[in-house]
Coordinates of all heavy atoms in Angstrom, one line a residue:
M1 N 0.8 -1.2 0.0 CA 0.0 0.0 0.0 C 0.9 1.3 0.0 O 0.5 2.2 -0.7 CB -0.9 0.0 1.2 CG -2.0 1.0 1.1 SD -3.1 0.8 -0.3 CE -4.6 0.7 0.5
T2 N 2.0 1.2 0.7 CA 2.9 2.4 0.8 C 3.4 2.7 -0.6 O 3.4 3.9 -1.0 CB 4.1 2.1 1.7 OG1 3.6 1.8 3.0 CG2 5.0 3.3 1.8
S3 N 3.6 1.7 -1.4 CA 4.1 2.0 -2.8 C 3.1 2.8 -3.6 O 3.5 3.7 -4.3 CB 4.4 0.6 -3.5 OG 4.8 0.9 -4.8
Q4 N 1.8 2.5 -3.5 CA 0.8 3.2 -4.2 C 0.7 4.6 -3.7 O 0.5 5.5 -4.5 CB -0.6 2.5 -4.1 CG -0.6 1.2 -4.8 CD -1.9 0.4 -4.6 OE1 -2.7 0.8 -3.7 NE2 -2.2 -0.6 -5.4
I5 N 0.8 4.8 -2.4 CA 0.8 6.2 -1.9 C 2.0 7.0 -2.4 O 1.9 8.1 -2.8 CB 0.8 6.1 -0.3 CG1 -0.5 5.5 0.2 CG2 1.0 7.5 0.3 CD1 -0.5 5.2 1.7
D6 N 3.2 6.3 -2.4 CA 4.4 7.0 -2.9 C 4.2 7.3 -4.4 O 4.6 8.4 -4.8 CB 5.6 6.2 -2.7 CG 6.0 6.1 -1.2 OD1 5.5 6.9 -0.4 OD2 6.8 5.2 -0.8
D7 N 3.7 6.4 -5.1 CA 3.5 6.6 -6.6 C 2.5 7.8 -6.8 O 2.8 8.6 -7.7 CB 2.9 5.4 -7.2 CG 3.9 4.2 -7.4 OD1 5.1 4.5 -7.2 OD2 3.4 3.1 -7.7
K8 N 1.5 7.9 -6.0 CA 0.6 9.1 -6.1 C 1.3 10.4 -5.8 O 1.1 11.4 -6.4 CB -0.6 8.9 -5.2 CG -1.7 10.0 -5.4 CD -2.9 9.8 -4.6 CE -3.9 10.8 -4.7 NZ -3.6 12.1 -5.4
K9 N 2.1 10.3 -4.7 CA 2.9 11.6 -4.4 C 3.8 12.0 -5.5 O 3.9 13.2 -5.8 CB 3.7 11.3 -3.1 CG 2.8 11.3 -1.8 CD 3.7 11.1 -0.6 CE 2.9 11.0 0.7 NZ 3.7 10.7 1.8
V10 N 4.4 11.0 -6.1 CA 5.3 11.3 -7.2 C 4.6 11.9 -8.4 O 5.0 12.9 -9.0 CB 6.1 10.0 -7.7 CG1 6.9 10.3 -9.0 CG2 7.1 9.6 -6.6
R11 N 3.4 11.3 -8.7 CA 2.6 11.8 -9.8 C 2.1 13.2 -9.5 O 2.1 14.1 -10.3 CB 1.4 10.9 -10.1 CG 1.7 9.7 -10.9 CD 0.4 9.0 -11.4 NE -0.5 8.7 -10.3 CZ -0.5 7.6 -9.6 NH1 0.4 6.7 -9.7 NH2 -1.4 7.4 -8.6
D12 N 1.6 13.4 -8.3 CA 1.2 14.8 -7.9 C 2.3 15.8 -7.9 O 2.1 16.9 -8.4 CB 0.6 14.7 -6.4 CG -0.7 14.0 -6.4 OD1 -1.3 13.7 -7.4 OD2 -1.2 13.6 -5.2
T13 N 3.5 15.4 -7.5 CA 4.6 16.3 -7.5 C 5.0 16.7 -9.0 O 5.2 17.8 -9.3 CB 5.8 15.7 -6.8 OG1 5.4 15.5 -5.4 CG2 7.0 16.7 -6.8
R14 N 5.0 15.6 -9.8 CA 5.3 15.9 -11.2 C 4.3 16.8 -11.8 O 4.6 17.7 -12.6 CB 5.4 14.5 -12.0 CG 5.7 14.7 -13.4 CD 5.8 13.3 -14.2 NE 4.4 12.7 -14.1 CZ 4.2 11.5 -13.8 NH1 5.1 10.7 -13.4 NH2 2.9 11.0 -13.8
D15 N 3.0 16.6 -11.5 CA 2.0 17.4 -12.0 C 2.1 18.9 -11.6 O 1.9 19.8 -12.3 CB 0.6 16.9 -11.7 CG 0.2 15.6 -12.4 OD1 0.9 15.2 -13.4 OD2 -0.7 14.9 -11.9
D16 N 2.5 19.0 -10.3 CA 2.8 20.4 -9.8 C 3.9 21.1 -10.5 O 3.9 22.3 -10.7 CB 3.0 20.3 -8.3 CG 1.8 20.0 -7.4 OD1 0.7 20.1 -8.0 OD2 2.0 19.6 -6.3
L17 N 5.0 20.3 -10.8 CA 6.2 20.9 -11.4 C 6.0 21.1 -12.9 O 6.8 21.9 -13.5 CB 7.4 20.0 -11.1 CG 7.8 19.8 -9.7 CD1 8.9 18.8 -9.6 CD2 8.3 21.2 -9.1
Q18 N 5.1 20.4 -13.5 CA 5.1 20.4 -15.0 C 4.9 21.8 -15.6 O 5.5 22.1 -16.6 CB 4.0 19.5 -15.5 CG 4.1 19.2 -17.0 CD 5.4 18.5 -17.3 OE1 5.8 17.5 -16.8 NE2 6.1 19.1 -18.3
P19 N 4.0 22.7 -15.0 CA 3.9 24.0 -15.6 C 5.3 24.8 -15.6 O 5.6 25.5 -16.6 CB 2.9 24.7 -14.7 CG 2.1 23.6 -14.1 CD 3.0 22.5 -13.9
G20 N 6.0 24.7 -14.6 CA 7.3 25.3 -14.5 C 8.3 24.7 -15.5 O 9.1 25.5 -16.2
I21 N 8.3 23.4 -15.7 CA 9.1 22.8 -16.7 C 8.7 23.2 -18.1 O 9.6 23.5 -18.9 CB 9.0 21.2 -16.5 CG1 9.6 20.8 -15.2 CG2 9.7 20.5 -17.7 CD1 9.3 19.4 -14.8
D22 N 7.4 23.3 -18.3 CA 6.9 23.7 -19.6 C 7.3 25.2 -19.9 O 7.7 25.5 -21.0 CB 5.4 23.6 -19.7 CG 4.9 22.1 -19.7 OD1 5.7 21.2 -19.9 OD2 3.7 21.9 -19.4
N23 N 7.3 26.0 -18.9 CA 7.6 27.4 -19.0 C 9.1 27.5 -19.4 O 9.5 28.3 -20.3 CB 7.3 28.2 -17.8 CG 7.5 29.7 -17.9 OD1 7.3 30.2 -19.0 ND2 8.0 30.3 -16.8
L24 N 10.0 26.8 -18.6 CA 11.4 26.8 -18.9 C 11.7 26.3 -20.3 O 12.5 26.9 -21.0 CB 12.2 26.0 -17.8 CG 13.7 25.9 -18.0 CD1 14.3 27.3 -18.0 CD2 14.3 25.0 -16.9
T25 N 11.0 25.3 -20.7 CA 11.2 24.7 -22.0 C 10.8 25.7 -23.1 O 11.6 25.9 -24.1 CB 10.4 23.4 -22.2 OG1 10.7 22.5 -21.2 CG2 10.5 22.8 -23.6
S26 N 9.7 26.4 -22.9 CA 9.3 27.4 -23.8 C 10.2 28.6 -23.9 O 10.6 29.1 -25.0 CB 7.9 27.9 -23.4 OG 7.4 28.9 -24.3
Q27 N 10.8 29.0 -22.8 CA 11.7 30.1 -22.8 C 13.0 29.7 -23.5 O 13.6 30.5 -24.3 CB 12.1 30.5 -21.3 CG 11.0 31.2 -20.6 CD 11.4 31.5 -19.2 OE1 12.4 31.2 -18.7 NE2 10.5 32.3 -18.5
I28 N 13.5 28.5 -23.3 CA 14.7 28.1 -24.0 C 14.4 28.0 -25.5 O 15.2 28.4 -26.3 CB 15.2 26.7 -23.4 CG1 15.7 26.9 -22.0 CG2 16.3 26.1 -24.4 CD1 16.1 25.6 -21.3
K29 N 13.3 27.4 -25.9 CA 12.9 27.2 -27.3 C 12.8 28.6 -28.0 O 13.2 28.7 -29.2 CB 11.6 26.5 -27.5 CG 11.8 25.0 -27.3 CD 10.4 24.3 -27.5 CE 10.5 22.8 -27.4 NZ 9.2 22.2 -27.6
S30 N 12.3 29.6 -27.3 CA 12.1 30.9 -27.9 C 13.2 31.9 -27.8 O 13.1 33.0 -28.2 CB 10.8 31.5 -27.4 OG 10.9 31.8 -26.0
A31 N 14.3 31.4 -27.1 CA 15.4 32.3 -26.9 C 16.0 32.7 -28.2 O 16.1 31.9 -29.2 CB 16.5 31.6 -26.0
A32 N 16.5 33.9 -28.3 CA 17.1 34.4 -29.6 C 18.6 34.0 -29.7 O 19.5 34.9 -29.7 CB 16.9 35.9 -29.6
V33 N 18.8 32.7 -29.7 CA 20.1 32.2 -29.8 C 20.1 31.0 -30.8 O 19.0 30.5 -31.1 CB 20.7 31.7 -28.4 CG1 20.8 32.9 -27.4 CG2 19.8 30.6 -27.8
S34 N 21.3 30.5 -31.1 CA 21.3 29.4 -32.1 C 20.7 28.1 -31.4 O 20.6 28.0 -30.2 CB 22.8 29.2 -32.5 OG 23.5 28.6 -31.4
D35 N 20.4 27.2 -32.3 CA 19.9 25.9 -31.8 C 20.9 25.2 -30.9 O 20.6 24.6 -30.0 CB 19.5 25.0 -33.0 CG 18.3 25.4 -33.7 OD1 17.5 26.3 -33.1 OD2 18.0 25.0 -34.8
T36 N 22.2 25.3 -31.3 CA 23.3 24.7 -30.5 C 23.2 25.3 -29.1 O 23.4 24.6 -28.1 CB 24.6 24.9 -31.1 OG1 24.6 24.3 -32.4 CG2 25.7 24.3 -30.3
D37 N 23.1 26.7 -29.0 CA 23.0 27.3 -27.7 C 21.8 27.0 -26.9 O 21.8 26.8 -25.7 CB 23.1 28.9 -27.9 CG 24.5 29.3 -28.3 OD1 25.5 28.6 -28.1 OD2 24.6 30.4 -28.8
K38 N 20.7 26.8 -27.6 CA 19.4 26.3 -27.0 C 19.7 24.9 -26.3 O 19.3 24.7 -25.2 CB 18.3 26.2 -27.9 CG 17.8 27.6 -28.4 CD 16.7 27.5 -29.4 CE 16.3 28.9 -29.9 NZ 15.3 28.8 -30.9
A39 N 20.3 24.0 -27.1 CA 20.6 22.7 -26.5 C 21.5 22.8 -25.3 O 21.3 22.1 -24.3 CB 21.2 21.8 -27.6
T40 N 22.5 23.7 -25.4 CA 23.4 23.9 -24.3 C 22.7 24.4 -23.1 O 22.9 23.9 -21.9 CB 24.6 24.8 -24.7 OG1 25.3 24.3 -25.8 CG2 25.6 25.0 -23.6
L41 N 21.8 25.4 -23.3 CA 21.0 25.9 -22.2 C 20.2 24.8 -21.5 O 20.1 24.7 -20.3 CB 20.1 27.1 -22.7 CG 20.8 28.4 -23.0 CD1 19.8 29.3 -23.7 CD2 21.3 29.0 -21.7
A42 N 19.5 24.0 -22.3 CA 18.7 22.9 -21.8 C 19.5 21.9 -21.0 O 19.1 21.5 -19.9 CB 18.0 22.2 -22.9
L43 N 20.7 21.6 -21.5 CA 21.5 20.6 -20.8 C 22.1 21.2 -19.5 O 22.1 20.5 -18.5 CB 22.7 20.2 -21.7 CG 22.3 19.3 -22.9 CD1 23.5 19.1 -23.8 CD2 21.9 17.9 -22.3
R44 N 22.4 22.5 -19.5 CA 22.9 23.1 -18.3 C 21.8 23.2 -17.3 O 22.1 23.1 -16.1 CB 23.6 24.5 -18.6 CG 24.9 24.3 -19.3 CD 25.6 25.7 -19.5 NE 26.9 25.5 -20.1 CZ 27.6 26.4 -20.6 NH1 27.2 27.7 -20.5 NH2 28.8 26.2 -21.1
A45 N 20.6 23.6 -17.7 CA 19.5 23.7 -16.8 C 19.2 22.3 -16.1 O 19.1 22.2 -14.9 CB 18.3 24.2 -17.5
G46 N 19.2 21.3 -16.9 CA 19.0 19.9 -16.4 C 20.1 19.5 -15.5 O 19.8 18.9 -14.4
K47 N 21.3 19.8 -15.8 CA 22.5 19.4 -15.0 C 22.4 20.1 -13.7 O 22.6 19.6 -12.6 CB 23.8 19.7 -15.7 CG 25.0 19.4 -14.9 CD 26.3 19.8 -15.6 CE 27.5 19.5 -14.8 NZ 27.8 20.4 -13.8
A48 N 22.0 21.4 -13.7 CA 22.0 22.2 -12.5 C 20.9 21.7 -11.5 O 21.1 21.5 -10.3 CB 21.7 23.7 -12.8
I49 N 19.8 21.3 -12.1 CA 18.7 20.7 -11.3 C 19.1 19.4 -10.6 O 18.9 19.2 -9.4 CB 17.4 20.5 -12.1 CG1 16.8 21.9 -12.5 CG2 16.3 19.7 -11.4 CD1 15.8 21.9 -13.6
V50 N 19.6 18.5 -11.5 CA 20.1 17.2 -10.9 C 21.2 17.4 -9.9 O 21.1 16.8 -8.8 CB 20.6 16.3 -12.1 CG1 21.2 15.1 -11.5 CG2 19.4 15.9 -13.0
S51 N 22.1 18.3 -10.1 CA 23.2 18.5 -9.2 C 22.7 19.0 -7.9 O 23.1 18.6 -6.8 CB 24.2 19.5 -9.8 OG 24.9 18.9 -10.9
N52 N 21.8 20.0 -7.9 CA 21.3 20.6 -6.7 C 20.5 19.6 -5.9 O 20.6 19.6 -4.7 CB 20.5 21.9 -7.0 CG 21.3 23.0 -7.4 OD1 22.5 23.1 -7.1 ND2 20.7 23.9 -8.2
V53 N 19.6 18.8 -6.5 CA 18.8 17.9 -5.8 C 19.7 16.8 -5.3 O 19.6 16.4 -4.1 CB 17.7 17.3 -6.8 CG1 17.0 16.1 -6.1 CG2 16.7 18.3 -7.2
A54 N 20.6 16.3 -6.1 CA 21.5 15.2 -5.6 C 22.4 15.7 -4.4 O 22.6 15.0 -3.4 CB 22.4 14.7 -6.7
E55 N 22.9 16.9 -4.5 CA 23.7 17.4 -3.4 C 22.9 17.5 -2.1 O 23.4 17.1 -1.1 CB 24.2 18.8 -3.8 CG 25.1 19.5 -2.7 CD 25.6 20.8 -3.1 OE1 25.6 21.2 -4.3 OE2 26.0 21.5 -2.2
E56 N 21.7 18.0 -2.2 CA 20.8 18.1 -1.0 C 20.6 16.7 -0.4 O 20.6 16.6 0.8 CB 19.5 18.8 -1.3 CG 18.6 19.0 -0.1 CD 17.4 19.8 -0.4 OE1 17.4 20.7 -1.3 OE2 16.4 19.6 0.2
I57 N 20.3 15.8 -1.2 CA 20.0 14.4 -0.8 C 21.3 13.8 -0.1 O 21.2 13.3 1.0 CB 19.6 13.5 -1.9 CG1 18.2 13.9 -2.4 CG2 19.6 12.0 -1.5 CD1 17.7 13.3 -3.7
L58 N 22.4 14.0 -0.7 CA 23.7 13.5 -0.1 C 24.0 14.2 1.2 O 24.4 13.5 2.1 CB 24.8 13.7 -1.1 CG 24.8 12.8 -2.3 CD1 25.8 13.1 -3.3 CD2 24.9 11.3 -2.0
V59 N 23.8 15.5 1.3 CA 24.1 16.2 2.5 C 23.1 15.7 3.6 O 23.6 15.4 4.8 CB 24.0 17.7 2.3 CG1 23.9 18.4 3.6 CG2 25.1 18.2 1.5
N60 N 21.9 15.5 3.3 CA 20.9 15.1 4.3 C 21.2 13.7 4.8 O 21.2 13.4 6.0 CB 19.5 15.1 3.7 CG 19.0 16.5 3.6 OD1 19.5 17.4 4.2 ND2 18.0 16.7 2.8
Q61 N 21.6 12.8 3.8 CA 22.0 11.4 4.2 C 23.2 11.4 5.1 O 23.3 10.6 6.0 CB 22.1 10.5 3.0 CG 20.8 10.2 2.3 CD 21.0 9.3 1.1 OE1 22.1 9.2 0.5 NE2 20.0 8.6 0.7
F62 N 24.2 12.2 4.7 CA 25.4 12.3 5.5 C 25.1 12.8 6.9 O 25.6 12.2 7.9 CB 26.4 13.3 4.9 CG 27.7 13.4 5.7 CD1 28.6 12.4 5.7 CD2 27.9 14.6 6.4 CE1 29.8 12.6 6.4 CE2 29.1 14.7 7.1 CZ 30.0 13.7 7.2
A63 N 24.2 13.8 7.1 CA 23.8 14.3 8.4 C 23.1 13.2 9.2 O 23.4 13.1 10.4 CB 22.9 15.5 8.2
V64 N 22.3 12.4 8.6 CA 21.6 11.4 9.3 C 22.6 10.3 9.7 O 22.5 9.8 10.9 CB 20.5 10.8 8.4 CG1 19.9 9.5 9.0 CG2 19.3 11.8 8.2
T65 N 23.5 9.9 8.8 CA 24.5 8.9 9.2 C 25.4 9.4 10.3 O 25.7 8.6 11.2 CB 25.3 8.6 7.9 OG1 24.5 8.1 6.9 CG2 26.4 7.5 8.2
L66 N 25.8 10.6 10.2 CA 26.7 11.2 11.3 C 25.9 11.2 12.6 O 26.5 10.9 13.6 CB 27.1 12.6 10.9 CG 28.1 13.3 11.8 CD1 29.4 12.5 11.9 CD2 28.4 14.7 11.3
S67 N 24.7 11.6 12.6 CA 23.9 11.7 13.8 C 23.8 10.3 14.4 O 23.9 10.1 15.6 CB 22.5 12.2 13.5 OG 21.7 12.2 14.7
K68 N 23.5 9.3 13.6 CA 23.4 7.9 14.0 C 24.7 7.4 14.6 O 24.7 6.7 15.7 CB 22.9 7.0 12.9 CG 22.7 5.6 13.3 CD 22.2 4.7 12.2 CE 22.0 3.3 12.6 NZ 21.7 2.4 11.6
E69 N 25.8 7.7 14.0 CA 27.1 7.3 14.5 C 27.4 8.0 15.8 O 28.0 7.3 16.7 CB 28.2 7.6 13.5 CG 28.2 6.7 12.2 CD 29.3 7.1 11.2 OE1 30.0 8.1 11.4 OE2 29.3 6.4 10.2
D70 N 27.0 9.2 16.0 CA 27.2 9.9 17.2 C 26.4 9.2 18.3 O 26.9 9.0 19.5 CB 26.7 11.4 17.1 CG 27.8 12.2 16.4 OD1 28.9 11.8 16.2 OD2 27.4 13.4 16.0
E71 N 25.1 8.8 18.0 CA 24.3 8.1 19.0 C 24.9 6.8 19.4 O 25.0 6.4 20.5 CB 22.9 7.9 18.4 CG 22.1 9.1 18.3 CD 20.7 8.8 17.6 OE1 20.4 7.7 17.4 OE2 20.0 9.8 17.3
D72 N 25.5 6.1 18.4 CA 26.1 4.8 18.6 C 27.3 4.9 19.5 O 27.6 4.1 20.3 CB 26.4 4.1 17.3 CG 25.2 3.6 16.5 OD1 24.1 3.6 17.1 OD2 25.3 3.3 15.3
T73 N 28.1 6.0 19.3 CA 29.3 6.2 20.0 C 29.0 6.6 21.5 O 29.7 6.2 22.4 CB 30.1 7.4 19.4 OG1 30.3 7.0 18.0 CG2 31.4 7.6 20.0
T74 N 27.9 7.4 21.7 CA 27.6 7.8 23.1 C 26.8 6.8 23.8 O 26.7 7.0 25.0 CB 26.9 9.2 23.0 OG1 25.7 9.1 22.3 CG2 27.8 10.3 22.4
A75 N 26.3 5.8 23.1 CA 25.4 4.8 23.8 C 26.2 3.8 24.6 O 27.4 3.6 24.5 CB 24.5 4.1 22.8

């Protein structure tokens, strides 16, 4: 049952984000630059998003692991 709840949350989040994604896509497509530059902009935007999300996840996981290790050490 948890999997179905998580799937719904993912779908809802994707639906919430889609207008912003569509807007960014439209801005890139209509930019007054070459097609090569449009592709570069799109790739850089995607890379920045992935990097920022991945960095936040890694930092959070590190903090949780460090906290757990501290608890294990003091116990």
